[in-house]
């Protein structure tokens, strides 16, 4: 596939604004959880570029490969903490946002283990990766064949 749009070159101010949000969430969300959020949303959205990038980033950051493989089936996996499970559930519902919105059950589960500010930062992180996924998919950005 050919890359349709080079967003950074075509709309540098818009790209910079999204990158500013990326910098904010990176500074305000635990990196282990952030890697899981980015990978899970990217899997749900079918963004091969982001799945590749965030898997490699997580491995480089010391994440265990078993946990990364388990992100695709996190509900059945014993490898995640209660806080990580709440973040993944929130990621699923925010990413698959439909007419039902985010359920009270998932939101309350997140609030039971994360502060209000932490949940707000998780929502920003989930929203940010969803923006990146949509840009990469629309632009047809593909992962590098070799790294």
């Amino acid at each position: 596939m050919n890359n349709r749009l080079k967003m950074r070159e075509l709309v540098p101010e818009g790209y910079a604004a999204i990158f500013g949000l990326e910098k904010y969430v990176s500074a305000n969300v635990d990196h282990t959880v952030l890697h899981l959020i980015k990978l899970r949303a990217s899997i749900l959205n079918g963004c091969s570029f982001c799945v590749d990038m965030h898997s490699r980033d997580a491995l480089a950051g010391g994440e265990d490969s078993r946990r990364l493989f388990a992100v695709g089936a996190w509900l059945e996996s014993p490898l995640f903490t209660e806080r990580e499970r709440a973040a993944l559930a929130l990621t699923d519902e925010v990413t698959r946002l439909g007419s039902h919105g985010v359920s009270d059950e998932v939101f309350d589960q997140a609030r039971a283990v994360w502060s209000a500010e932490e949940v707000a930062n998780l929502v920003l992180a989930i929203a940010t990766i969803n923006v990146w996924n949509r840009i990469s998919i629309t632009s047809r950005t593909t992962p590098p064949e070799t790294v």
Side-chain angles (χ1 to χ4, degrees):
M1 282 193 289
N2 291 330
N3 191 314
R4 286 178 171 164
L5 297 170
K6 296 188 184 223
M7 299 289 284
R8 185 183 298 184
E9 295 170 16
L10 294 168
V11 288
E13 289 180 31
Y15 190 90
I18 298 166
F19 192 72
L21 189 54
E22 177 68 36
K23 285 172 49 176
Y24 173 83
V25 297
S26 183
N28 289 282
V29 176
D30 173 81
H31 284 200
T32 298
V33 173
L34 187 56
H35 287 308
L36 297 176
I37 287 170
K38 288 178 177 184
L39 181 57
R40 181 61 183 170
S42 298
I43 289 169
L44 292 174
N45 287 323
C47 183
S48 65
F49 176 81
C50 292
V51 167
D52 177 73
M53 179 173 61
H54 298 304
S55 296
R56 288 187 290 111
D57 288 350
L59 288 170
E63 183 60 81
D64 182 82
S65 61
R66 286 184 66 221
R67 283 172 36 94
L68 294 180
F69 298 142
V71 167
W74 71 267
L75 278 167
E76 289 79 30
S77 175
L79 300 178
F80 302 103
T81 67
E82 185 178 14
R83 285 168 57 93
E84 290 167 342
R85 296 179 72 71
L88 288 165
L90 189 61
T91 301
D92 282 6
E93 290 208 4
V94 172
T95 298
R96 293 178 171 153
L97 197 58
S99 60
H100 68 280
V102 174
S103 70
D104 289 339
E105 177 184 355
V106 166
F107 186 81
D108 292 345
Q109 177 188 8
R111 279 293 289 124
V113 294
W114 296 92
S115 72
E117 182 180 350
E118 289 171 322
V119 170
N121 281 324
L122 291 174
V123 170
L124 286 176
I126 297 163
T128 303
I129 188 55
N130 274 280
V131 169
W132 286 126
N133 288 166
R134 280 149 179 77
I135 289 170
S136 292
I137 291 167
T138 303
S139 299
R140 291 188 176 160
T141 305
T142 57
E145 291 186 28
T146 60
V147 289

